[in-house]
Each structure stands twice: as C-alpha cells, then as structure tokens.
Amino acid sequence: MVAFKGVWTQPFWRSVSGEFIAMLIFVLLGLGSTISWGVGDSPQPADLLRISLCFGLSIVTMVHCFGHISGAHLNPAVTIAFVCTRRITLAKSLFYIIAQCLGAISGAGLLYIITPFNLIGNLGVTMVNERLSLGHGLLVEILITFQLVFCISASCDPKYKDKYPPIAIGISVIIGHLFAINYTGASMNPARSLGPAVILWNWKSHWIYWVGPIIGAVCAATVYDYIYCPDNDLKQHLKEAITKATQKTKGKYIEVDDCRSQADAEDLILKSGTVHVIDIDQAESKKGKDSASEILSTV
C-alpha cells in the first residue's frame, strides 16, 4: 500500500479524470482533421498543414486547460519518461496511462459515430509508409518523440521562468507532424495510435507506435534531466550518499546515514514550470497527515 500512497485521494482522481477528458478531446479533434470530405469519386487529398495545425493547436488548448489540473501529460510515453525522471510515481503513472488510453479510444469511437460511414476512411490510423522498412519507421518515431519530450522538459524547467509551455509544446507537435506524416503518420503518442486502431481493429505495425515513442521519450527526458540540466541539489545529495557508502571504517563499509526524510528527497525532484504544478497530497498534509508531495509536469 505504500507504493499507492497518494492515489486514494480526491485531487489525484480529479487529475486522472482530467487526463481522460483532455485525451478524448485531443483525439477527437486531431483525428477529425484527417477525415476527407470529398464528394463521390473525388476525395480530397490529405491536407498535411491542416492536420499538423489541428494536432498542434489542440495540444496547446488542452495543456492550457488541464495543465494546472493534471499536468496535461496526454501521452503514455511522456508519463513513462516522467517516471524515469522521478516526477511521478510508478503507481500513479499506471492510472494516468489507463485514463489516457481510454480517453483516446472514446474520442476515436465518438468520431466514428458522428462521421458518415462512407467518409470514415482509415479514421487516422497511423501506418508506416509502404516505401519504408519497419526499422526506418521505428527510427522516425523515436526521433520525433525525442524532440517533443526534450521540448517539454526544457519548456517546463522551473529554472527558466520566461516561457509559455503550451505554445512551445504545440509548435513541437506541429513540426513533428509536418516532418513525419508522410513517413509514419507522426504519432509521437501511443494512445493517439491506439484509439483508431481499436475502433477499426487495425493493428498493422502497431507495436512501432508504442516502442518508438517510449524509447524517444525516455531518452529525451533522461538526457535533459541528467546530462544537460541536472538538478544540482539532487546531484550533490547523490554524490554524498555514494561517498559515504564507499568509505571504510575498520575494514567494513559503513551504513549510509541519510538525514533527509522521504519528503525532503521528493522535494529534490525537478518541478515543472508555468502550466505545471499540482500537489495532489497538499490537502492531506495541511490536515496533519503524513503525505509526500508529488509534482506532475505538463505535456
């Protein structure tokens, strides 16, 4: 039960429901831009600019609306990356990912219901271009997700105040689509690909849209947080702990005496920026309960 500490609280479930609603709206709007409304035998060609702008501006809107509620991850790959950089616990991330996937499926299902059957087409299912190998498709998804999550990490870094994360993140989504729609459909988001795949039951090369974004997201968040812009307090604390652990006294290793409490350790976690912060245990701590704060960042 310790692993699920902070899960059974009203603020956390408000955050989970926010992820569900935001993902539903994002997928509904984004996939809707891929629908061709051509007449008869003259279908409209895919408008790459319209699709890119719709996905990017939808992200801007959802991050602005839900950033202070749930952190607006809106992407299982981002949530997994935040687990690796200690911005969210593993237990809480499971509920976030489930909410994101259910929201994406619901959004794709709603679009399927309201769209005339003869216009549905492939409902925005992401597929690797036939001219590419699966390996090339996987590499493209890794690269575009890397640039997205690196942008998220940089724009939400509290050390740099003069930023507006929703705009930066939305632009990152737009350029990812402009570049990669013709390659892989530009997913960058496993839940976005899962939604239409479930509704049309089309699983062709679907694994690429989980493996690629997750690898890209984890690499980007790890590189930013631990190489380019590490937290100095956390770095110093880890250095001291390693030094104590390797010291010898009378031929024996001494036990590390960590004077920091669990709450102090969690305070070293990189906190998010402008659209950012939700302390889901704050209400309980004010009541005198023993609870640790949890910071969720935006997507």
Side-chain angles (χ1 to χ4, degrees):
M1 294 302 295
V2 175
F4 286 87
K5 186 178 181 179
V7 168
W8 316 117
T9 62
Q10 186 179 18
F12 176 72
W13 287 105
R14 187 183 298 121
S15 300
V16 172
S17 65
E19 286 291 299
F20 173 83
I21 297 297
M23 198 67 195
L24 186 154
I25 297 173
F26 168 66
V27 170
L28 174 66
L29 299 179
L31 296 185
S33 67
T34 69
I35 302 296
S36 174
W37 286 82
V39 179
D41 296 329
S42 302
Q44 296 175 342
D47 189 334
L48 302 187
L49 181 60
R50 179 187 67 194
I51 296 172
S52 302
L53 288 175
C54 189
F55 274 100
L57 296 178
S58 295
I59 282 290
V60 172
T61 305
M62 292 302 101
V63 171
H64 180 77
C65 292
F66 290 91
H68 62 290
I69 297 174
S70 68
H73 293 195
L74 302 180
N75 190 332
V78 171
T79 300
I80 293 172
F82 284 175
V83 171
C84 296
T85 54
R86 302 176 62 202
R87 300 189 191 183
I88 184 174
T89 64
L90 178 60
K92 292 175 182 178
S93 71
L94 295 177
F95 291 97
Y96 260 50
I97 292 173
I98 291 173
Q100 292 158 1
C101 292
L102 291 178
I105 294 171
S106 300
L110 183 58
L111 180 64
Y112 183 86
I113 292 173
I114 65 177
T115 304
F117 183 76
N118 62 325
L119 298 178
I120 290 175
N122 67 356
L123 200 67
V125 173
T126 48
M127 293 181 289
V128 178
N129 192 301
E130 295 179 354
R131 302 177 185 179
L132 298 179
S133 68
L134 295 182
H136 288 140
L138 178 64
L139 180 59
V140 169
E141 285 296 319
I142 291 174
L143 293 174
I144 59 177
T145 309
F146 183 96
Q147 65 86 21
L148 171 63
V149 176
F150 200 93
C151 174
I152 292 170
S153 299
S155 61
C156 297
D157 191 333
K159 296 191 290 293
Y160 305 101
K161 303 293 184 181
D162 299 329
K163 294 181 179 181
Y164 189 57
I167 296 296
I169 296 167
I171 292 175
S172 181
V173 172
I174 290 173
I175 62 176
H177 279 78
L178 288 173
F179 165 71
I181 283 180
N182 286 328
Y183 286 83
T184 62
S187 174
M188 297 179 280
N189 188 330
R192 173 260 181 269
S193 294
L194 178 67
V198 169
I199 298 302
L200 295 186
W201 208 250
N202 184 344
W203 302 99
K204 184 178 180 181
S205 305
H206 182 73
W207 64 271
I208 287 176
Y209 301 102
W210 284 87
V211 176
I214 290 174
I215 292 176
V218 170
C219 290
T222 302
V223 166
Y224 184 87
D225 279 20
Y226 296 114
I227 297 179
Y228 286 105
C229 295
D231 185 280
N232 291 328
D233 291 335
L234 178 59
K235 183 178 180 180
Q236 183 62 30
H237 175 58
L238 293 176
K239 183 178 180 180
E240 292 174 358
I242 293 173
T243 301
K244 291 180 180 180
T246 55
Q247 287 177 349
K248 291 185 178 182
T249 302
K250 296 180 180 180
K252 296 182 179 180
Y253 288 102
I254 64 173
E255 183 178 358
V256 176
D257 183 15
D258 189 356
C259 61
R260 296 178 182 267
S261 65
Q262 179 63 26
D264 293 334
E266 290 192 3
D267 286 339
L268 296 177
I269 298 174
L270 181 63
K271 293 178 174 57
S272 57
T274 309
V275 183
H276 54 252
V277 183
I278 174 169
D279 185 348
I280 50 185
D281 295 326
Q282 185 177 9
E284 292 187 1
S285 63
K286 289 182 179 179
K287 296 178 183 178
K289 296 183 179 180
D290 180 19
S291 60
S293 60
E294 183 70 40
I295 303 300
L296 306 182
S297 301
T298 59
V299 56

